[in-house]
Amino acid sequence: MKALYTFLLGCFCVGVTLAQSDIASVEYFFDSDPGIGNGISVDIDPDVELLDQNFSISTTGLPQGTHRLFMRVVNTNGSTSMYNYKTFRIYDVPEINTADIVEAEYFFNTDPGFGNGNLRTVSNATNMNRNFNVLTGGLPVGTHRLFFRVKNSDNEWSMYTYKTFRKTDVPDTNLADIVEAEYYFNTDPGLGNGTNIDVADVSSLDENFSIPTSSLPIGTHRMFLRVKNSDNRWSLYANKTFRVTESPDTNLADIVEAEYYFNIDPGLGNGTIIDVTDVATLDENFNIPVSSLPIGTHRLFLRVKNNNDTWSLYDHKTFRVSDIPDTNLADIVEAEYYFNTDPGLGNGTNIDVADVASLDENFIIPTSSLPIGTHRMFMRVKNYDNKWSMYNHKTFRVSDITETNNASIMAAEYFIDVDPGIGNASALTVSGDIIDENLIIPTFGSMAQGDHFLHIRVQNADGTWSLYDRQLFEIDGTLGIQTENLLEINIYPIPTSDYVNIKTPNHVQIKSMRLIDMNGKVVMQLQNQFEKVNISNLQQGVYLLQITTNNGSLSKRIIKN
């Protein structure tokens, strides 16, 4: 018979986010695309920017062989993502083995034939879960494969399992102290011919050195460093790439003039003048008229001049000019709603409203007729000029009715990013059967710039803690050099299945890093400078990567797929 696969998909193929809009629906198909909207729908958690769920996908009906599963998402604006896919294979389910294992053997690289491998002593058992010491002394240096198989009491051999490994020379153990160190730039002058660094006799070297670069031309360079021990042996070199740039002049002169322009630079001094007082720095709000600009996207540029007649580099901002909509002076006289599919203007379910200029009421909308799954509710209004508004909508989910919690909430607490443990987070003052109030959560100035998660959980009168709720928020950096330096840190690729690369400017040094999962648990910590992080052993999902540098801290969401 055929194997029926059930796929548990976490971030698979839904590590696609559609900008600035929540995911509304997901569909999948096998092998051939039936067209957008014609795939098999999957129930999802509504109104999320990133989908991190497990789905059970049946493969019943597919023939034996290799297939591809495709999946794509649609956001609340109706935009469809590119699909992602996974290749898998359906094959016959082998017969169930009821005979005990009585023999095991292994071999390297080439199969010597059943029973001709290196035998291992095993006891009669239905399955084997043991550690064996396998000798590799006779193998040459290089890459090899170890194969292993077992035989049952019916004299039937299993398929082999295997592991690829590499045998390398055993390096000599260094017991001699470091007595000398040298560095050089770009080209190796030969052992002992670099620039000497004064070091004490130590077994390992962990010091800061000041390396002059004044003789180097502007551009990209590499610095190499190596050490020699008391046995007169040189180590391999370590290296670092850096860039020498021109030192900008220090500005000691006041700002005396400012100008702006749109889209195209008219030349220094030819922009529109802004009246400013003589100041060392400029921190003011200006009203910039845009009435002369056509509808569309534009860029505003601004620069200043000091009393040495030197112009600064420009700063800029992108913005959009759009039509001013007609002002509605007619009262609302009718409202209607519908689910999922538009029945046409005036054909939705009517809502009784009074004649008002604006509608700000609570309505009870029955959903008992809807099947379990994800849905969208649309609402629109009509004024007494017989004009219908654009619809507003909300994505929601109908689910099975769970047990009712009759115990009042007695305690609540919150934490940001890292869970200190139940009962150890910051307490919130609450009372009643539900929480329906605005909570003021303080954030502190030392928080890392970037993404953070606020977690809230509650405890009822039965002493049971709820699963916490989670809300993403962002800490913006203050305007300044440190913020700009942090923004230059490049973290890629996202999503990834193995390594995350971290590229920093030459003047930014990483001191430490930690990785936090969506349960608030720190799953990885690293110290000192590094350029990539191996996350291949982590589960699929969303994590917070928090980096501490000599210029401040950065927190960024990453996706492990």
Side-chain angles (χ1 to χ4, degrees):
M1 64 178 182
K2 298 175 185 175
L4 300 182
Y5 277 75
T6 298
F7 287 94
L8 294 179
L9 304 178
C11 272
F12 163 64
C13 80
V14 206
V16 182
T17 52
L18 297 174
Q20 304 301 318
S21 188
D22 288 345
I23 295 173
S25 63
V26 176
E27 67 175 11
Y28 71 89
F29 57 91
F30 295 107
D31 302 327
S32 299
D33 192 342
I36 292 174
N38 296 323
I40 300 171
S41 179
V42 177
D43 286 341
I44 63 169
D45 294 333
D47 291 345
V48 290
E49 293 181 1
L50 178 69
L51 197 59
D52 182 12
Q53 279 184 251
N54 293 326
F55 304 110
S56 294
I57 295 182
S58 173
T59 59
T60 304
L62 293 176
Q64 289 185 45
T66 301
H67 300 273
R68 296 175 92 179
L69 168 70
F70 297 81
M71 187 174 283
R72 59 190 164 212
V73 302
V74 179
N75 69 10
T76 54
N77 293 331
S79 299
T80 304
S81 72
M82 299 289 288
Y83 61 71
N84 206 342
Y85 68 90
K86 183 74 173 178
T87 303
F88 64 98
R89 184 168 178 81
I90 291 182
Y91 55 87
D92 280 336
V93 177
E95 296 178 4
I96 297 174
N97 172 43
T98 57
D100 282 352
I101 296 170
V102 297
E103 191 174 323
E105 68 176 10
Y106 71 89
F107 57 91
F108 296 106
N109 303 320
T110 304
D111 192 340
F114 289 124
N116 296 322
N118 297 292
L119 294 180
R120 306 300 301 184
T121 302
V122 297
S123 56
N124 293 355
T126 56
N127 57 65
M128 189 159 61
N129 183 16
R130 293 176 55 189
N131 293 325
F132 295 102
N133 291 321
V134 177
L135 302 178
T136 60
L139 296 175
V141 172
T143 302
H144 302 275
R145 296 176 89 179
L146 168 69
F147 297 81
F148 190 95
R149 61 191 167 207
V150 298
K151 186 175 75 171
N152 67 14
S153 55
D154 291 335
N155 205 36
E156 294 176 339
W157 284 95
S158 70
M159 297 290 289
Y160 60 71
T161 185
Y162 70 91
K163 182 73 174 177
T164 302
F165 65 98
R166 183 168 179 81
K167 183 177 179 180
T168 58
D169 281 332
V170 178
D172 294 333
T173 302
N174 175 37
L175 301 175
D177 281 352
I178 296 170
V179 297
E180 192 175 325
E182 68 176 12
Y183 70 89
Y184 59 91
F185 297 108
N186 304 319
T187 304
D188 193 340
L191 295 175
N193 296 322
T195 303
N196 186 264
I197 300 174
D198 187 23
V199 295
D201 292 356
V202 289
S203 58
S204 63
L205 195 61
D206 183 10
E207 295 185 41
N208 293 323
F209 300 102
S210 295
I211 308 292
T213 59
S214 56
S215 62
L216 296 174
I218 292 172
T220 302
H221 302 274
R222 296 177 81 188
M223 185 196 77
F224 298 80
L225 188 144
R226 58 192 167 209
V227 297
K228 186 174 75 171
N229 67 13
S230 57
D231 291 335
N232 205 35
R233 291 183 177 179
W234 284 95
S235 70
L236 293 172
Y237 60 73
N239 70 282
K240 181 70 176 178
T241 303
F242 65 97
R243 185 168 178 81
V244 174
T245 58
E246 286 187 314
S247 299
D249 294 333
T250 302
N251 175 38
L252 300 175
D254 282 352
I255 296 170
V256 296
E257 190 174 326
E259 68 175 11
Y260 70 89
Y261 59 90
F262 297 107
N263 303 319
I264 299 174
D265 193 340
L268 295 174
N270 296 323
T272 303
I273 297 295
I274 300 175
D275 187 23
V276 295
T277 56
D278 293 356
V279 289
T281 61
L282 194 61
D283 183 12
E284 294 185 40
N285 293 324
F286 300 102
N287 290 320
I288 308 291
V290 296
S291 56
S292 62
L293 296 174
I295 292 172
T297 301
H298 302 273
R299 297 176 82 188
L300 167 69
F301 297 81
L302 187 143
R303 58 192 166 208
V304 297
K305 185 175 76 171
N306 66 16
N307 57 24
N308 288 334
D309 205 32
T310 302
W311 284 95
S312 71
L313 293 172
Y314 60 73
D315 198 1
H316 69 89
K317 182 74 174 178
T318 302
F319 65 97
R320 184 167 178 82
V321 174
S322 58
D323 276 334
I324 298 175
D326 294 333
T327 302
N328 174 38
L329 300 176
D331 281 352
I332 296 170
V333 296
E334 191 174 326
E336 68 176 14
Y337 70 89
Y338 59 91
F339 297 108
N340 303 319
T341 304
D342 193 342
L345 295 175
N347 296 323
T349 302
N350 187 262
I351 300 174
D352 187 22
V353 295
D355 292 356
V356 289
S358 62
L359 194 60
D360 183 12
E361 295 185 41
N362 292 324
F363 300 102
I364 296 175
I365 307 293
T367 60
S368 55
S369 63
L370 296 174
I372 293 174
T374 300
H375 301 274
R376 296 173 82 188
M377 185 194 75
F378 298 81
M379 184 177 288
R380 59 193 166 207
V381 298
K382 185 176 75 171
N383 67 12
Y384 67 54
D385 289 337
N386 206 35
K387 290 183 178 180
W388 284 96
S389 69
M390 299 289 290
Y391 61 72
N392 201 349
H393 68 91
K394 182 71 175 177
T395 303
F396 66 98
R397 183 172 176 80
V398 174
S399 58
D400 282 332
I401 298 175
T402 58
E403 295 181 6
T404 303
N405 173 35
N406 294 319
S408 294
I409 294 172
M410 304 301 293
E413 64 180 14
Y414 74 89
F415 61 90
I416 295 174
D417 298 341
V418 178
D419 189 348
I422 290 177
N424 298 323
S426 299
L428 294 169
T429 302
V430 294
S431 62
D433 296 332
I434 60 173
I435 292 182
D436 184 13
E437 54 189 283
N438 293 324
L439 303 173
I440 298 176
I441 307 294
T443 58
F444 42 90
S446 60
M447 289 185 67
Q449 179 178 329
D451 301 325
H452 296 275
F453 281 98
L454 169 68
H455 305 256
I456 296 179
R457 58 190 166 210
V458 297
Q459 184 188 40
N460 66 16
D462 295 334
T464 303
W465 284 94
S466 73
L467 293 175
Y468 47 66
D469 196 5
R470 188 166 51 224
Q471 181 68 47
L472 174 69
F473 67 97
E474 186 175 357
I475 296 291
D476 291 328
T478 56
L479 202 57
I481 293 175
Q482 284 194 340
T483 296
E484 293 298 323
N485 288 338
L486 291 174
L487 291 176
E488 292 180 30
I489 296 177
N490 187 13
I491 300 173
Y492 65 95
I494 300 175
T496 182
S497 59
D498 43 29
Y499 286 94
V500 176
N501 298 296
I502 304 173
K503 186 174 180 61
T504 62
N506 291 329
H507 50 278
V508 174
Q509 299 293 322
I510 295 177
K511 294 181 177 180
S512 63
M513 181 282 297
R514 65 179 182 177
L515 208 57
I516 306 166
D517 66 15
M518 289 297 94
N519 294 321
K521 179 182 178 182
V522 177
V523 296
M524 184 183 297
Q525 286 184 299
L526 295 174
Q527 301 292 325
N528 300 323
Q529 186 76 17
F530 46 84
E531 295 182 350
K532 63 168 55 179
V533 179
N534 185 357
I535 63 170
S536 58
N537 62 332
L538 297 180
Q539 293 183 345
Q540 294 178 347
V542 180
Y543 295 85
L544 276 182
L545 175 63
Q546 295 186 343
I547 301 170
T548 301
T549 77
N550 60 328
N551 276 265
S553 300
L554 180 67
S555 182
K556 186 175 178 66
R557 281 178 296 170
I558 64 170
I559 303 168
K560 166 63 168 39
N561 59 17

